Amino acid sequence: MNEAIPVSRAIDRGTAKLMPDVDRERAWLLTVDGAPQSYVDLDEPTHLEFEYARRLGHVLDTVAEPGLPLDVVHLGGGALTLPRYVAATRPGSRQRVVEYDRGLLGLVVERLPPPDDARIALHGADAREWLEAAPADSADVLVGDVFGGSRVPAHLSTVGYARAVERVLRADGVYLANLADAAPFAYLRSQLATLATVFQELALIAEPAVLRGRRFGNAVLVAAHQPLDIAVLTRRTAADAFPARVEHGPALRAFIGGAAPVREEDAAPSPEPPDGAFGIG
């Protein structure tokens, strides 16, 4: 089923490729139109290759007691890297994955099927439409990792979207988002300001070089009503093979500055990455 030969297939939005990793027997890289989307090792689901995925994993590890099952919603499916990670680290968790591209979902299920006992439900739908129809107070964690090509769609950046996220999360729930930007961080700052309209606690995790404005890169946003375990998160991200910094409290408020929350009529996709920022091959 998983022959170590590349697979290329037209999906609903572009062309997906699955490329085997020559160094890991059953590991695969998923790209869509040349942009890396996911990396998954079928034999080692706790292996997170991409830097941003590792940071999301650190947050997922610290939102509750180790091993405690959670109800998790993933907006954006990719190759189901994080759902596999949660299934392995928190057995018994109930997970729902919302992916707009049904062709991509079909390819992943066919070529890289998750374990039968993983309790991962797949939904082919628009992330915001699905969220607005989902039951209130039904998720412990909600992960936003939706990219149309290399950009986050505009309708997933507004105060209305933030309110939809908050409605689905339980009172002690946590929202995580993978975004990408570069100095002067107009998009990132506006997203933090938007989340601040509904959440009391915010944190930002990114590589120091990105935060210093030296290059375009990913940033993980964390939002919650309850205090986050910033000390543990800071230690874990600083000790990672790809160290990152956690901004929180006054430093983060200074970073947001005078950025305004995003209204529906002002919404725009995240910035286009510069050539070569994420593409391969």
Side-chain angles (χ1 to χ4, degrees):
M1 182 182 296
N2 296 301
E3 302 91 341
I5 57 173
V7 176
S8 181
R9 182 177 299 177
I11 55 176
D12 298 357
R13 290 185 167 181
T15 299
K17 290 184 179 179
L18 286 172
M19 292 176 282
D21 185 338
V22 296
D23 296 321
R24 302 176 76 95
E25 186 176 351
R26 295 212 308 149
W28 298 82
L29 172 68
L30 167 69
T31 68
V32 176
D33 291 340
Q37 297 288 326
S38 300
Y39 179 101
V40 60
D41 187 331
L42 298 178
D43 293 329
E44 193 178 341
T46 58
H47 175 76
L48 300 176
E49 181 79 7
F50 292 170
E51 295 174 30
Y52 82 84
R54 295 171 69 90
R55 288 159 196 159
L56 289 169
H58 291 318
V59 182
L60 287 166
D61 289 345
T62 59
V63 296
E65 290 299 315
L68 185 71
L70 297 173
D71 291 335
V72 185
V73 172
H74 304 264
L75 303 180
L80 309 180
T81 302
L82 283 175
R84 298 173 204 266
Y85 180 84
V86 171
T89 58
R90 297 183 178 275
S93 294
R94 294 185 302 174
Q95 301 189 79
R96 291 162 286 174
V97 176
V98 184
E99 169 58 55
Y100 184 85
D101 197 313
R102 290 175 173 84
L104 177 59
L105 274 181
L107 172 64
V108 170
V109 169
E110 175 191 331
R111 306 296 303 197
L112 309 173
D116 293 336
D117 61 353
R119 303 184 72 187
I120 300 171
L122 306 178
H123 304 270
D126 174 82
R128 182 159 172 183
E129 289 178 4
W130 187 93
L131 203 59
E132 290 174 342
D137 304 318
S138 59
D140 299 310
V141 180
L142 200 156
V143 182
D145 189 14
V146 181
F147 284 80
S150 300
R151 307 176 75 182
V152 178
H155 68 303
L156 305 182
S157 67
T158 67
V159 171
Y161 169 73
R163 288 173 179 160
V165 168
E166 195 270 345
R167 186 187 67 83
V168 172
L169 282 173
R170 297 184 174 122
D172 58 351
V174 179
Y175 175 61
L176 318 180
N178 173 39
L179 304 177
D181 200 3
F185 303 113
Y187 179 76
L188 201 52
R189 292 167 61 237
S190 75
Q191 289 308 287
L192 286 160
T194 299
L195 290 171
T197 63
V198 291
F199 292 103
Q200 287 74 49
E201 296 288 328
L202 296 174
L204 172 66
I205 309 170
E207 181 187 339
V210 172
L211 291 174
R212 293 189 190 111
R214 292 180 181 172
R215 67 177 184 86
F216 188 96
N218 292 87
V220 169
L221 273 59
V222 189
H225 289 307
Q226 305 297 328
L228 302 163
D229 198 338
I230 297 298
V232 172
L233 200 53
T234 297
R235 286 198 299 270
R236 291 192 61 145
T237 55
D240 193 273
F242 304 99
R245 204 165 79 208
V246 179
E247 295 289 1
H248 177 258
L252 188 57
R253 288 194 292 274
F255 178 84
I256 297 170
V262 179
R263 304 176 299 173
E264 297 293 332
E265 58 267 33
D266 300 326
S270 62
E272 185 78 48
D275 289 344
F278 297 130
I280 62 167

